[in-house]
């Protein structure tokens, strides 16, 4: 191997990459071999090794290969600064999403070991203020361009945002039986929603934080949701003679297969007032 010239296989070995990758970078005009007029061999130089490393570093930082090639083609400080700032903002958003995903995973880690044991048990948890975007009456989508746009923005922020059904306190007051009345929507802790940058429009309702009664209930039937699906909470309210309470919310936390079908595990939480 010549100290100043490298065949493609030699350069690939030196840089720890494939010859296919080198050819792709050559196609993007990031590196450019010279042709030996005597033997017809194509050779890369030390300049090419440095340009390849810069291109690979820019790619690893979040730029596309096309952007990397353009940056290396003609450096314009103002444009490079703008691109760098854009990538910084994108990376900060990725970090935030990763942090919120870790928060969700830690929630799973905390209650999965006891999830089967806690079915139909009732306990109290403290919840922060939450934002809610109502999207349907039961399972039928509400229309509207603004609502659809908000729905798309919220869904881009799973798992910080969760699909959550809602049962109104007014409908629970008489401890009814039969088909449940509920709406379907998206919820997110208020602090997380602000961090994410969700828009607080007129369609967004603030759900008050505080103490909530919590239970895990299972559903395996394909029929509509029934009030009996929240019977553990209703029975607790009756037993404790609690008449002042808020809405109840439900979201799926686990699911498993059985010979007879699927069983879904839902976490249900109902606002109580002291």
């Amino acid at each position: 191997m010549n100290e100043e010239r490298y065949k493609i296989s030699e350069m690939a070995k030196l840089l720890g990459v494939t010859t296919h990758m080198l050819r792709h970078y050559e196609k993007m005009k990031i590196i450019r071999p010279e042709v030996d007029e005597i033997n017809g061999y194509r050779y890369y130089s030390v300049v090419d090794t440095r340009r390849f490393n810069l291109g690979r570093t820019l790619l690893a930082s979040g730029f596309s290969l096309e952007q990397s090639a353009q940056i290396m083609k003609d450096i314009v400080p103002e444009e490079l600064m703008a691109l760098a700032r854009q990538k910084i903002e994108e990376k900060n958003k990725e970090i935030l999403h990763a942090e919120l995903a870790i928060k969700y995973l830690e929630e799973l880690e905390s209650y999965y070991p006891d999830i089967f044991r806690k079915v139909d048990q009732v306990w109290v948890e403290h919840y922060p203020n939450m934002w809610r975007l109502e999207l349907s009456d039961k399972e039928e989508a509400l229309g509207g361009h603004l609502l659809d746009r908000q729905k798309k923005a919220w869904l881009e922020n799973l798992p910080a945002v969760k699909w959550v059904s809602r049962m109104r306190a007014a409908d629970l007051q008489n401890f009814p039986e039969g088909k449940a009345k509920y709406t379907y929507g998206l919820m997110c802790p208020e602090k997380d929603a602000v961090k994410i940058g969700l828009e607080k429009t007129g369609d967004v309702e603030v759900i008050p934080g505080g103490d909530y009664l919590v239970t895990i209930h299972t559903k395996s039937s394909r029929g509509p949701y029934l009030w009996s699906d929240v019977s553990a909470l209703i029975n607790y309210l009756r037993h404790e003679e609690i008449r002042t309470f808020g809405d109840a919310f439900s979201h799926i936390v686990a699911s498993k297969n059985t010979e007879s079908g699927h069983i879904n595990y839902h976490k249900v939480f109902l606002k109580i007032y002291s």
Side-chain angles (χ1 to χ4, degrees), residues 27 30 45 60 66 86-87 105 121 139 164 173 238:
K27 183 179 179 181
I30 292 176
S45 69
E66 290 77 11
Q86 178 185 341
K87 290 301 171 187
L105 293 171
Q121 290 191 15
E139 304 289 342
V164 182
Q173 284 290 345
R238 284 173 170 166

Side-chain angles (χ1 to χ4, degrees), residues 195-258:
K195 285 181 183 178
I196 292 167
L198 293 178
E199 188 178 359
K200 190 174 182 297
T201 67
D203 294 315
V204 177
E205 178 184 356
V206 177
I207 304 299
D211 287 339
Y212 280 76
L213 290 181
V214 182
T215 190
I216 301 291
H217 85 82
T218 60
K219 181 169 179 57
S220 58
S221 69
R222 291 181 174 271
Y225 283 87
L226 305 175
W227 292 116
S228 58
D229 289 325
V230 291
S231 60
L233 291 182
I234 290 177
N235 290 337
Y236 186 94
L237 293 172
R238 284 173 170 166
H239 183 267
E240 299 297 323
E241 298 184 350
I242 298 174
R243 289 291 176 180
T244 305
F245 52 85
D247 296 346
F249 303 91
S250 172
H251 64 93
I252 187 170
V253 294
S255 185
K256 71 176 183 179
N257 297 336
T258 67

Side-chain angles (χ1 to χ4, degrees), residues 132-143 147 151 163-168 171 179-186 224-225 227:
R132 178 170 177 83
L133 184 65
E134 204 88 324
L135 294 175
S136 80
D137 180 10
K138 288 198 174 179
E139 304 289 342
E140 295 186 9
L142 300 174
L147 195 59
K151 178 181 179 179
W163 287 99
V164 182
S165 297
R166 172 196 223 166
M167 290 155 277
R168 298 278 185 177
D171 295 321
K179 295 180 181 179
K181 294 181 181 179
Y182 67 93
T183 55
Y184 203 35
L186 297 168
Y225 283 87
W227 292 116

Side-chain angles (χ1 to χ4, degrees), residues 10-270:
E10 294 170 337
M11 184 157 163
K13 183 177 181 180
L14 174 68
L15 298 174
V17 297
T18 64
T19 56
H20 175 75
M21 182 179 289
L22 290 178
R23 290 191 180 95
H24 188 54
Y25 274 62
E26 181 183 339
K27 183 179 179 181
M28 298 300 299
K29 298 183 179 179
I30 292 176
I31 55 178
R32 183 177 58 190
E34 294 180 350
V35 179
D36 190 307
E37 295 180 357
I38 297 175
N39 58 27
Y41 288 159
R42 293 149 54 84
Y43 290 99
Y44 298 90
S45 69
V46 171
V47 170
D48 292 313
T49 66
R50 304 303 187 267
R51 282 179 62 85
F52 180 86
N53 286 335
L54 176 58
R56 185 162 53 169
T57 300
L58 290 169
L59 185 67
S61 299
F63 293 105
S64 68
L65 199 56
E66 290 77 11
Q67 288 174 321
S68 302
Q70 184 60 38
I71 290 170
M72 297 167 68
K73 177 182 178 182
D74 184 19
I75 296 177
V76 180
E78 293 78 10
E79 293 179 5
L80 182 56
M81 290 171 62
L83 282 172
R85 172 47 51 188
Q86 178 185 341
K87 290 301 171 187
I88 289 170
E89 292 175 357
E90 289 176 3
K91 292 298 179 183
N92 281 331
K93 190 171 184 179
E94 289 174 11
I95 291 170
L96 174 59
H97 281 200
E99 290 174 347
L100 295 175
I102 289 171
K103 179 180 176 181
Y104 169 72
L105 293 171
E106 288 175 343
E107 289 177 7
L108 294 185
E109 185 181 39
S110 68
Y111 60 69
Y112 254 73
D114 297 325
I115 194 169
F116 304 115
R117 183 175 60 81
K118 287 190 172 182
V119 170
D120 291 334
Q121 290 191 15
V122 178
W123 66 95
V124 176
E125 289 184 8
H126 189 84
Y127 281 69
N129 285 352
M130 294 165 282
W131 285 8
R132 178 170 177 83
L133 184 65
E134 204 88 324
L135 294 175
S136 80
D137 180 10
K138 288 198 174 179
E139 304 289 342
E140 295 186 9
L142 300 174
H145 175 72
L146 176 59
L147 195 59
D148 288 342
R149 180 174 64 81
Q150 291 177 97
K151 178 181 179 179
K152 182 176 183 295
W154 280 55
L155 289 175
E156 288 173 353
N157 291 283
L158 297 169
V161 170
K162 293 184 178 71
W163 287 99
V164 182
S165 297
R166 172 196 223 166
M167 290 155 277
R168 298 278 185 177
D171 295 321
L172 289 165
Q173 284 290 345
N174 296 321
F175 305 112
E177 297 180 356
K179 295 180 181 179
K181 294 181 181 179
Y182 67 93
T183 55
Y184 203 35
L186 297 168
M187 288 179 67
C188 182
E190 185 174 49
K191 287 184 178 180
D192 293 342
V194 172
K195 285 181 183 178
I196 292 167
L198 293 178
E199 188 178 359
K200 190 174 182 297
T201 67
D203 294 315
V204 177
E205 178 184 356
V206 177
I207 304 299
D211 287 339
Y212 280 76
L213 290 181
V214 182
T215 190
I216 301 291
H217 85 82
T218 60
K219 181 169 179 57
S220 58
S221 69
R222 291 181 174 271
Y225 283 87
L226 305 175
W227 292 116
S228 58
D229 289 325
V230 291
S231 60
L233 291 182
I234 290 177
N235 290 337
Y236 186 94
L237 293 172
R238 284 173 170 166
H239 183 267
E240 299 297 323
E241 298 184 350
I242 298 174
R243 289 291 176 180
T244 305
F245 52 85
D247 296 346
F249 303 91
S250 172
H251 64 93
I252 187 170
V253 294
S255 185
K256 71 176 183 179
N257 297 336
T258 67
E259 291 182 358
S260 58
H262 302 302
I263 296 179
N264 290 341
Y265 292 77
H266 294 259
K267 190 173 188 179
V268 187
F269 49 104
L270 178 146

